[in-house]
Amino acid sequence: EEMTTVAEAINITQTQQKLLSIPLLSLPLRPSTLTALLRRGFATTGDIMINNTNTMKTGNDDGGIENLAEELGCSVSQSADYVHEINDALYSIGLPPLTANTTIVGRTDGTTKNNNATLRSTNNIPATAASLLRSKLNSHMQHNSNSSSTARQIVSFSQPLDMLLGGGFALSELTEIAGLPGSGKTQLAMQLCVDARLPGKYGGVEGCAVVIDAEGSWSGAGVDRLWSLAGALVDHVKSSALRKMEANKAKEMANGGGANTDTTAPEELVPTWFTPESILDGIHIFRVHDESEQTCTLYNLPQFLQDQEEKGKPVKILVIDSLAFHYRVASSINSSNKGNFLSTTTSLTRMAAFLQELASEFDLAVLALNHLTNKLDKDSTGAGGMKLVPALGESWAHSVTSRLMVDFYHRHVPNGASPGGVMGEVRTCSLIKSPHKPNGTACFMITDKGIRGMPPQFIQQAEEAKRARLN
């Protein structure tokens, strides 16, 4: 049977195109594109094709684009960009485009070949750095207008760690946390999900959290841990409100004011909705059992995030625990298949781009937890050993905005010396990649109340004691 060429595929009839009703959520589209189309009721490629067909009967090839722009409430050029992006996505999975308004780019001699021809948008206009900055600021203002919070970071309640990151875990960024089993990756992620619910008047982002639970750490005993963290956060906020009220009273008395000028009760300073139950109601957990389910869940998130925004409950953090788990399981099963390795790399690259766009479009922090794996480390002589590095390879490493490494400090703190008042082991969190912060290391502990920071002088004393023992 003769193979169908790209040109023949593009010349598919309108009747055949109507039969191709592909769900947009199944295509590798940007979250912003999905949101714009789904918001206006375009759920499949067939919906868009019907829209184009109704106006193309006039013989004007641009009529469909103009009609689509009118229904989407955007410019004609933006509408054309959406169509080109959908065409590229369809072509990438071997399906014909919505319209023939695309250009085939192949070899430099002007001919095309089926196995290397690719579709390219004909109106790819560059954006200036100034326009991108304005767009980013406008996006932040738009999201902040729907919330009482103006915070741009999610605090971890570990002051050294927050200072290392410039105030906390930044919104609109993809952050990776890698570490050994038991080093505290999930505990840190749980603390951040609970802290994302912190009211804006107390420096929080006052949003919800979404968790992609690949390992089952959240769906089982993790719920009990979330409850204890939520209770500790509520107690902390109420104690902080009480201290603030007492400080204000003391200040008024020192200035000659009455001793009973402020009759506000401590509980009135804390929003009535801020309870452990409401905190857990704002943490949405998706349990995924394999790579396909994980990928499908992530690519369907834009609609869920949009629904949450419309309800006035925007999501401010997305946690994937862990991204590597199902990929590594699938790779171990098909370890002899070289094509599977290339497919996994391509899938991860697309996933990274999707998560970056998701973080930017919905102004949320994306937190991807990752495993460590062994890698051969050769020195200049050719000899070498093995070293632990984050899994998923170099392509993924280049895709993340920031990378953190969590490790054990190998020092136990006696009872009463730690912030939580219990015996525990100090962890280190090292910033090894960031576009706007210098590399560094912060120390924290996992206590019964959650993540708490360790004073820098404690670490300095521990290092001096260690050197003294070695000498």
Side-chain angles (χ1 to χ4, degrees):
E1 186 178 355
E2 186 177 358
M3 182 178 297
T4 302
T5 66
V6 176
E8 291 172 342
I10 290 180
N11 290 328
I12 190 169
T13 65
Q14 294 289 333
T15 302
Q16 289 173 309
Q17 284 181 326
K18 288 182 181 180
L19 299 177
L20 295 176
S21 186
I22 310 299
L24 296 179
L25 288 171
S26 66
L27 298 176
L29 302 175
R30 296 179 300 165
S32 57
T33 302
L34 283 173
T35 301
L37 294 171
L38 295 174
R39 187 184 300 167
R40 296 291 183 170
F42 294 92
T44 69
T45 56
D47 295 336
I48 300 174
M49 197 61 243
I50 291 173
N51 175 278
N52 284 340
T53 303
N54 289 338
T55 55
M56 281 185 177
K57 290 178 180 179
T58 63
N60 183 2
D61 289 341
D62 294 331
I65 299 297
E66 292 177 358
N67 189 44
L68 181 62
E70 182 178 351
E71 294 200 23
L72 292 177
C74 65
S75 64
V76 175
S77 61
Q78 182 64 69
S79 175
D81 287 341
Y82 289 148
V83 173
H84 281 301
E85 184 177 347
I86 295 172
N87 283 344
D88 288 344
L90 290 170
Y91 184 80
S92 69
I93 59 176
L95 293 177
L98 294 173
T99 67
N101 189 22
T102 53
T103 301
I104 299 182
V105 180
R107 294 178 292 186
T108 57
D109 59 0
T111 62
T112 59
K113 192 175 181 179
N114 186 46
N115 61 357
N116 67 355
T118 57
L119 290 177
R120 292 291 182 265
S121 174
T122 59
N123 59 345
N124 188 13
I125 303 174
T128 65
S131 66
L132 292 175
L133 179 60
R134 285 193 295 268
S135 177
K136 181 179 179 180
L137 294 176
N138 290 336
S139 177
H140 292 170
M141 291 177 62
Q142 178 182 358
H143 286 283
N144 289 336
S145 66
N146 299 327
S147 173
S148 60
S149 173
T150 58
R152 299 299 308 154
Q153 291 92 14
I154 301 175
V155 296
S156 67
F157 275 84
S158 169
Q159 187 177 15
L161 178 55
D162 291 337
M163 291 177 62
L164 177 67
L165 300 176
F169 287 76
L171 302 181
S172 300
E173 291 186 4
L174 170 58
T175 302
E176 177 195 44
I177 300 180
L180 292 167
S183 58
K185 303 186 298 296
T186 299
Q187 291 291 324
L188 180 55
M190 287 183 173
Q191 182 71 64
L192 292 171
C193 286
V194 170
D195 293 348
R197 302 287 288 147
L198 188 65
K201 64 187 298 183
Y202 291 99
V205 295
E206 199 171 324
C208 296
V210 169
V211 179
I212 307 299
D213 184 14
E215 301 183 14
S217 305
W218 299 70
S219 306
V223 179
D224 298 326
R225 180 57 173 166
L226 287 170
W227 175 262
S228 64
L229 294 178
L233 178 61
V234 172
D235 292 341
H236 173 81
V237 170
K238 288 183 177 180
S239 299
S240 176
L242 180 59
R243 289 193 301 269
K244 183 178 180 180
M245 184 182 65
E246 292 176 345
N248 290 337
K249 285 184 178 181
K251 184 177 180 180
E252 289 179 1
M253 292 181 64
N255 293 333
N260 194 26
T261 58
D262 188 359
T263 59
T264 305
E267 55 270 16
E268 294 179 13
L269 298 176
V270 180
T272 55
W273 63 266
F274 192 63
T275 63
E277 292 88 350
S278 68
I279 290 177
L280 265 62
D281 280 338
I283 301 177
H284 308 274
I285 302 173
F286 293 86
R287 180 71 171 98
V288 295
H289 299 85
D290 54 41
E291 180 189 351
S292 299
E293 187 177 3
Q294 175 176 291
T295 302
C296 182
T297 301
L298 285 169
Y299 281 132
N300 279 274
L301 274 183
Q303 183 62 57
F304 177 81
L305 298 178
Q306 182 63 36
D307 292 342
Q308 287 296 115
E309 283 197 351
E310 293 175 355
K311 294 177 183 177
K313 301 177 180 178
V315 174
K316 288 300 178 182
I317 183 171
L318 166 63
V319 174
I320 310 170
D321 187 9
S322 67
L323 185 67
F325 182 74
H326 291 310
Y327 281 107
R328 299 185 76 183
V329 170
S331 297
S332 64
I333 296 175
N334 304 297
S335 57
S336 60
N337 188 351
K338 294 183 179 180
N340 181 71
F341 172 77
L342 296 175
S343 175
T344 300
T345 302
T346 302
S347 177
L348 278 171
T349 303
R350 287 182 177 176
M351 180 64 69
F354 175 82
L355 293 176
Q356 290 274 17
E357 184 73 19
L358 199 70
S360 177
E361 174 67 19
F362 291 96
D363 194 35
L364 54 85
V366 177
L367 200 65
L369 308 192
N370 198 0
H371 299 165
L372 295 184
T373 187
N374 288 315
K375 179 180 179 181
L376 183 62
D377 184 24
K378 292 184 178 182
D379 56 24
S380 58
T381 63
M386 305 298 291
K387 69 174 182 178
L388 287 172
V389 298
L392 301 181
E394 294 296 328
S395 296
W396 167 260
H398 289 296
S399 301
V400 299
T401 308
S402 301
R403 166 172 278 183
L404 297 169
M405 290 278 287
V406 180
D407 200 0
F408 299 97
Y409 188 73
H410 301 296
R411 177 177 173 80
H412 288 275
V413 182
N415 186 22
S418 69
V422 296
M423 180 176 287
E425 188 170 349
V426 179
R427 266 80 167 182
T428 62
C429 185
S430 301
L431 179 63
I432 60 177
K433 178 190 176 184
S434 173
H436 43 66
K437 293 296 175 184
N439 294 354
T441 300
C443 294
F444 67 93
M445 283 189 61
I446 301 175
T447 71
D448 56 344
K449 296 182 179 181
I451 301 296
R452 296 295 183 266
M454 294 302 301
Q457 57 268 27
F458 168 81
I459 304 301
Q460 183 179 357
Q461 293 172 3
E463 292 291 345
E464 290 176 354
K466 182 178 179 179
R467 286 194 295 268
R469 288 194 304 269
L470 293 176
N471 294 334

